[in-house]
């Protein structure tokens, strides 16, 4: 892996290594974002193709995984945008104020800590696209609100609201299902 | 200062507040326990979320979960499908093989295709009715496969549940679309009393199942002991240690049991699979009787044909038409009477005995067929299998070293499996036809020959590709070092499966088309992968 980063341009075999090392992580991200196994596999495939074409633009001060996950996120967001089902995430109006802050369940640390993976996955997959999207970017990619806002073309406040609402919904889902 | 909103605290916990605001909040927290607790909980929640999201390897978890189970369901489906196909093939050969087609030996795998096509041709010429019933059977088999597939896909239940549900659904469609189902469970027994009438299909589970009343639909029973003394207007299908019918059955009687005893009056056919099966004295069967049994005894009256497989059969009753025996031994004792021909396949002449007083109206044909040595008992069989296995292994190893993607066919969902199966079937059937059409023109001949060569190679590689998938799935997506082991394990399993007695041939066919389909899909995928705008090609 280090050899790749040192060298000026990666060669075919090196990219094979990259693929092997990161495929699963990229696939997971696509799976989260797109909420479909088949679509995720196609997307991951496409992401690696794209990554390969523009490998020359890769700046090695940034971790390779972030770069790849960035490409994957952008690609999946594009797909979702094109899907057009959930246009609201891309509207600029910050209409969704956290008006229900007092009514929703509080933080679910206990639940999350003991939760099995498939339950969270199930709850996550039931969230609307826009909520799933921001949660994944914030907690799987560990991006800051600013970065998410840039990626989605939204205002920072809107992102904050979205994440807040998304977490509330996730808590509700987990609570109604498993408590 | 008033308490900040949960929203603000949430931003604070995520480290997303500008420093000035964060400072204010920090000050507030030092004095307000409620807010401090909330902020702390929110921080913990953030950590837990990061952990939860990143711990769940969605793709990986899923692959591991499904790959193993898909192999199991693949295996079950293939074995089930093969059994169904074989049963239908046997049924065809049993019912309809005219003497003109005797040379086609249904017990020889090579003869089966001839048999199938010849039989179909025969039906088209001779019996529309039989053709209809074959189509019905075939559509039932297809229907059951579809339903089971559907249940697996929709409900995502375990294969066992799915098969059960599939069977239940199937039974409800079985000839009687208007019936509802009556499912009864009971320990130790389920009894339909003499005065009771059930309008539905009855599915019963229990230690002992007694049917003394009337069932207007089918009876499907799973029990240690099943007694039908009453009246069943549909079919009786029993899985039990002991199945006994002494009442009236208007449909077929199908018994899988240690002992199957058909008495009373059965208006259609009897199929008995068991250690001992009998058509008892005083019983009357209006249709055909087919018995697979260690010991079979026919003392009653059969209006049509009797076919027997297995150990030995004793006949004392009256058979309206022909008797065909492939049992080891057959005995006719007075007052046995056969209305048609008697055909017995035996290994030594003295194993077929027709006592004085037993009559055969038609021809009596005792065929002495010295046993072919079972291929499983010859040493060379295993040697050859080992050689083929080693060959496939080496070919597979080289193939997957050069083209790694071929070793990772996508068969991990029912959809992909179905897709591979259909692609494989089309490619298997359509390629030679296309080659012939192309080959007719002289210019196309080389193309045709090449196509046929590629086709043959593909057929050979099909099972190797499938073996790689099976091995990987069973060893839970192994890394590179295990690749070789996975291939070997997969190949070994497949070689065992295709050499199973009775159903091996059909399994071979099914595995080949699925593997061929997966191979075609993988090659296509590889070409697509390569035709990308870049010149270097990633090793996938």
């Amino acid at each position: 892996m280090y050899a790749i980063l040192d060298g000026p341009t990666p060669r075919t075999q090196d990219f094979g290594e990259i693929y092997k090392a990161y495929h699963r992580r990229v696939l997971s991200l696509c799976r989260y974002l797109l909420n479909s196994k088949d679509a995720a596999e196609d997307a991951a495939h496409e992401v690696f193709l794209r990554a390969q074409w523009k490998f020359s633009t890769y700046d090695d001060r940034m971790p390779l995984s972030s770069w790849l996950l960035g490409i994957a996120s952008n690609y999946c967001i594009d797909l979702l945008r094109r899907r057009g089902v959930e246009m609201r995430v891309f509207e600029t109006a910050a209409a969704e104020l956290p008006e229900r802050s007092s009514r929703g369940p509080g933080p679910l640390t206990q639940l999350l800590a003991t939760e099995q993976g498939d339950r969270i996955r199930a709850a996550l997959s039931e969230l609307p696209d826009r909520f799933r999207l921001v949660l994944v970017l914030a907690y799987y990619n560990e991006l800051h609100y600013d970065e998410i806002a840039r990626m989605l073309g939204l205002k920072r406040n809107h992102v904050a609201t979205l994440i807040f609402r998304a977490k509330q919904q996730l808590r509700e889902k987990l609570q109604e299902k498993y408590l | 200062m008033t308490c900040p909103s949960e929203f603000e605290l949430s931003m604070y916990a995520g480290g997303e507040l500008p420093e000035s605001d964060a400072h204010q909040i920090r000050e507030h927290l030092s004095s307000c326990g409620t807010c401090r607790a909330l902020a702390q909980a929110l921080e913990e929640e953030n950590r837990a979320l990061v952990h939860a999201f990143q711990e769940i390897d969605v793709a990986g978890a899923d692959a591991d979960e499904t790959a193993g189970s898909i192999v199991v369901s693949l295996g079950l489906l293939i074995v089930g499908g093969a059994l169904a196909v074989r049963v239908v093939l046997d049924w065809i050969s049993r019912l309809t093989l005219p003497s003109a087609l005797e040379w086609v030996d249904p017990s020889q795998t090579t003869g089966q295709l001839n048999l199938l096509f010849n039989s179909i041709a025969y039906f088209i010429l001779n019996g529309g009715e039989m053709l209809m019933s074959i189509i019905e059977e075939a559509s039932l088999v297809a229907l059951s496969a579809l339903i089971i597939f559907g249940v697996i896909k929709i409900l995502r239940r375990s294969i066992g549940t799915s098969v059960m549900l599939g069977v239940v659904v199937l039974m409800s469609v079985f000839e009687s679309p208007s019936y509802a189902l009556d499912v009864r469970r009971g320990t130790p027994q389920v009894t339909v009393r003499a005065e009771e009438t059930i309008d539905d299909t009855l599915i019963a589970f229990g230690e002992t199942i007694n049917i003394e009343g009337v069932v207007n639909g089918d009876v499907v029973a799973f029990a240690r002991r099943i007694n039908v003394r009453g009246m069943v207007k549909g079919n009786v299908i029993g899985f039990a240690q002991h199945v006994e019918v002494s009442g009236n059955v208007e449909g077929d009687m199908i018994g899988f049991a240690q002992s199957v005893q058909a008495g009373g009056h059965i208006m259609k056919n009897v199929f008995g699979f068991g250690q001992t099966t009998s058509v008892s004295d005083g019983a009357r069967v209006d249709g055909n009787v087919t018995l697979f049994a260690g010991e079979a005894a026919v003392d009653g009256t059969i209006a049509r044909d009797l076919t027997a497989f297995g150990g030995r059969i004793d006949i004392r009753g009256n058979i309206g038409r022909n008797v065909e025996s492939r049992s080891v031994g057959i005995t006719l004792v007075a007052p046995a009477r056969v209305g048609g021909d008697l055909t017995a396949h035996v290994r030594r002449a003295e194993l077929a005995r027709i006592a004085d007083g037993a009559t055969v109206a038609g021809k009596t044909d005792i065929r002495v067929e010295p046993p072919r040595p079972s291929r499983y008992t010859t040493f060379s069989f295993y040697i050859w299998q080992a050689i083929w296995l080693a060959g496939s292994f080496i070919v597979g190893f080289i193939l997957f070293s050069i083209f790694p993607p071929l070793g990772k066919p996508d068969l991990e969902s029912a959809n992909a499996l179905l897709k591979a199966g259909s692609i494989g079937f089309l490619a298997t059937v359509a390629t030679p036809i296309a080659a012939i059409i192309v080959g007719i023109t002289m210019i196309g001949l080389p193309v045709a020959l090449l196509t046929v060569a590629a086709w043959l190679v593909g057929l050979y590689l099909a099972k190797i590709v499938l073996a790689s998938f099976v091995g990987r799935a069973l060893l839970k997506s192994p890394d590179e070092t295990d690749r070789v082991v996975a291939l070997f394990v997969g190949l070994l399993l497949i070689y065992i499966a295709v050499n199973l007695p009775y159903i091996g041939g059909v399994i071979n066919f099914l595995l080949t088309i699925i593997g061929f389909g997966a191979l075609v899909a993988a090659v296509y995928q590889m070409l697509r992968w390569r035709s990308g705008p870049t010149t270097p090609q990633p090793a996938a």
Side-chain angles (χ1 to χ4, degrees):
Chain A
M1 190 84 331
Y2 296 106
I4 306 162
L5 300 184
D6 294 343
T9 42
R11 281 191 305 277
T12 313
Q13 297 92 321
D14 302 337
F15 205 81
E17 290 297 314
I18 294 178
Y19 179 89
K20 252 180 241 157
Y22 294 104
H23 178 256
R24 185 157 271 202
R25 205 158 144 65
V26 167
L27 183 58
S28 292
L29 174 66
C30 295
R31 179 81 194 270
Y32 272 134
L33 289 175
L34 300 176
N35 219 5
S36 141
K37 191 177 175 221
D38 289 344
E41 274 163 11
D42 288 348
H45 181 86
E46 186 64 31
V47 165
F48 278 98
L49 274 183
R50 290 185 176 203
Q52 206 187 358
W53 303 339
K54 50 189 198 185
F55 200 83
S56 51
T57 67
Y58 169 60
D59 175 359
D60 58 13
R61 276 170 302 180
M62 175 196 223
L64 189 60
S65 60
S66 312
W67 183 71
L68 281 171
L69 290 183
I71 296 179
S73 310
N74 280 323
Y75 178 69
C76 290
I77 290 166
D78 266 358
L79 281 184
L80 288 174
R81 224 189 273 268
R82 252 180 278 155
R83 219 194 259 172
V85 199
E86 278 286 340
M87 288 307 288
R88 271 196 285 167
V89 67
F90 306 114
E91 285 165 12
T92 43
E96 299 173 81
L97 286 173
E99 76 282 358
R100 297 190 302 146
S101 54
S102 54
R103 276 191 293 144
L108 296 176
T109 36
Q110 207 56 43
L111 194 59
L112 282 169
T114 57
E115 215 43 87
Q116 286 134 24
D118 50 346
R119 289 186 173 181
I120 295 182
R121 189 167 66 214
L124 186 69
S125 71
E126 283 173 19
L127 294 184
D129 279 353
R130 62 184 193 285
F131 287 162
R132 206 181 56 248
L133 193 59
V134 288
L135 284 182
V136 171
L137 293 177
Y139 297 106
Y140 186 77
N141 285 13
E142 295 189 84
L143 296 180
H144 287 294
Y145 289 9
D146 289 323
E147 295 166 302
I148 298 175
R150 211 177 316 124
M151 209 169 240
L152 297 179
L154 298 176
K155 295 219 172 66
R156 189 175 192 277
N157 277 347
H158 191 186
V159 170
T161 317
L162 273 173
I163 289 180
F164 186 75
R165 287 287 307 276
K167 278 203 307 197
Q168 275 186 331
Q169 272 217 7
L170 187 69
R171 290 170 193 154
E172 278 165 25
K173 290 260 187 245
L174 283 170
Q175 207 165 43
E176 81 195 32
K177 271 192 173 170
Y178 305 113
L179 284 188
Chain B
M1 170 183 174
T2 54
C3 287
S5 68
E6 192 189 322
F7 179 63
E8 280 172 290
L9 279 176
S10 179
M11 294 267 287
Y12 168 78
E16 297 283 353
L17 275 185
E19 186 42 44
S20 55
D21 297 354
H23 182 71
Q24 271 188 358
I25 299 240
R26 257 197 302 276
E27 263 178 19
H28 172 76
L29 290 187
S30 61
S31 63
C32 172
T34 328
C35 285
R36 195 164 55 235
L38 182 56
Q40 217 162 18
L42 283 165
E43 275 171 30
E44 261 173 53
E45 188 189 50
N46 282 344
R47 275 195 295 276
L49 273 173
V50 169
H51 180 77
F53 273 46
Q54 303 202 342
E55 276 303 287
I56 317 166
D57 189 345
V58 191
D62 224 60
D64 286 346
E65 217 171 74
T66 56
S69 65
I70 211 84
V71 167
V72 174
S73 36
L74 175 72
L76 281 177
L77 270 169
I78 285 181
V79 170
L83 262 175
V85 171
R86 270 312 297 248
V87 167
V88 170
L89 277 176
D90 279 358
W91 183 75
I92 291 170
S93 67
R94 226 177 28 241
L95 280 182
T96 60
L97 201 66
S99 52
L101 292 174
E102 273 305 15
W103 56 273
V104 186
D105 182 353
S107 62
Q108 227 164 21
T109 324
T110 46
Q112 277 155 17
L113 278 179
N114 286 336
L115 178 65
L116 179 65
F117 291 125
N118 286 328
S119 310
I120 288 172
Y122 171 77
F123 290 139
I124 292 168
L125 293 176
N126 295 293
E129 191 196 336
M130 281 175 181
L131 187 65
M132 281 314 292
S133 57
I134 284 182
I135 291 172
E136 252 170 49
E137 295 278 329
S139 50
L140 269 177
V141 170
L143 186 66
S144 52
L146 275 180
I147 288 173
I148 292 172
F149 247 127
V151 174
I152 293 172
K153 249 194 102 50
I154 295 164
L155 297 182
R156 297 174 182 280
R157 293 282 174 80
S158 76
I159 184 82
T161 328
S162 306
V163 169
M164 274 302 296
L165 281 170
V167 167
V168 169
V169 174
L170 196 67
M171 288 306 168
S172 64
V173 200
F174 209 91
E175 290 180 356
S176 48
S178 58
Y179 291 156
L181 279 177
D182 190 346
V183 178
R184 295 190 177 188
R185 271 170 200 283
T187 38
Q189 63 176 24
V190 175
T191 302
V192 177
R193 293 183 311 280
E195 66 275 17
E196 199 176 352
T197 300
I198 293 178
D199 280 329
D200 308 330
T201 286
L202 172 70
I203 298 186
F205 303 86
E207 179 81 13
T208 306
I209 292 167
N210 292 311
I211 295 178
E212 282 154 20
V214 177
V215 177
N216 280 329
D218 297 334
V219 171
V220 181
F222 302 83
R224 185 184 292 278
R225 193 179 178 86
I226 300 169
N227 295 313
V228 179
R229 298 198 195 94
M231 166 92 167
V232 176
K233 301 222 165 142
N235 305 311
V236 172
I237 301 172
F239 300 85
Q241 197 170 18
H242 186 86
V243 179
E244 182 179 344
V245 172
S246 50
N248 290 335
V249 176
E250 292 190 3
D252 293 332
M253 169 186 170
I254 303 174
F256 299 86
Q258 198 173 22
S259 85
V260 179
Q261 203 176 334
H265 187 181
I266 290 151
M267 297 191 197
K268 286 191 176 165
N269 307 310
V270 172
F271 298 90
F273 302 82
Q275 174 69 39
T276 60
T277 64
S278 65
V279 177
S280 38
D281 199 5
R284 181 178 166 77
V285 180
D286 290 344
N288 301 307
V289 172
T290 307
L291 304 174
F292 296 81
E295 283 174 38
V298 176
D299 297 334
T301 303
I302 298 169
R304 301 175 77 172
D305 296 340
L306 166 68
T307 313
F309 298 84
R312 45 173 296 122
I313 177 162
D314 297 324
I315 301 174
R316 292 180 60 244
N318 190 345
I319 287 106
R321 295 193 192 166
N322 302 326
V323 172
E324 165 128 13
S325 160
R326 286 179 182 276
S327 302
V328 174
I330 176 167
T331 312
L332 269 73
V333 188
R337 200 193 118 70
V338 178
D341 299 338
L342 167 71
T343 313
H345 301 255
V346 286
R347 295 195 182 146
R348 293 192 310 275
E350 63 267 28
L351 287 171
R353 292 196 306 119
I354 302 175
D356 296 338
T359 50
V360 177
K363 287 184 301 198
T364 301
D365 187 2
I366 311 286
R367 300 177 182 204
V368 179
E369 293 164 353
R372 263 183 314 217
S374 160
R375 58 187 187 136
Y376 301 107
T377 59
T378 61
F379 185 59
S380 63
F381 169 76
Y382 296 97
I383 296 284
W384 277 109
Q385 290 303 321
I387 293 173
W388 278 100
L389 180 62
S392 307
F393 178 72
I394 294 167
V395 170
F397 181 75
I398 295 172
L399 180 75
F400 301 142
S401 307
I402 305 175
F403 305 109
L406 291 185
K408 298 167 189 165
D410 170 26
L411 293 171
E412 287 179 17
S413 63
N415 257 350
L417 206 62
L418 212 54
K419 204 169 83 182
S422 355
I423 295 175
F425 185 72
L426 269 182
T428 311
V429 175
T431 314
I433 297 176
I436 291 171
I437 294 172
V438 175
I440 289 174
T441 65
M442 277 308 280
I443 308 165
L445 198 57
V447 179
L449 289 177
L450 278 177
T451 312
V452 170
W455 180 70
L456 290 173
V457 171
L459 286 182
Y460 178 68
L461 296 181
K463 271 174 288 177
I464 302 179
V465 168
L466 198 63
S468 160
F469 167 74
V470 171
R472 271 163 194 279
L474 284 183
L475 300 184
K476 304 245 169 191
S477 45
D479 59 23
E480 289 307 296
T481 46
D482 290 343
R483 207 182 54 174
V484 178
V485 183
L487 176 63
F488 186 77
V489 168
L491 276 173
L492 196 63
L493 278 177
I494 285 185
Y495 265 81
I496 291 172
V498 302
N499 280 307
L500 286 178
Y502 192 65
I503 52 174
V506 187
I507 288 186
N508 195 349
F509 176 72
L510 292 176
L511 290 180
T512 305
I513 62 168
I514 291 174
F516 201 17
L519 178 69
V520 170
V523 169
Y524 173 76
Q525 194 73 16
M526 237 170 55
L527 294 177
R528 219 186 76 179
W529 188 234
R530 279 192 184 174
S531 62
T534 44
T535 34
Q537 135 244 338

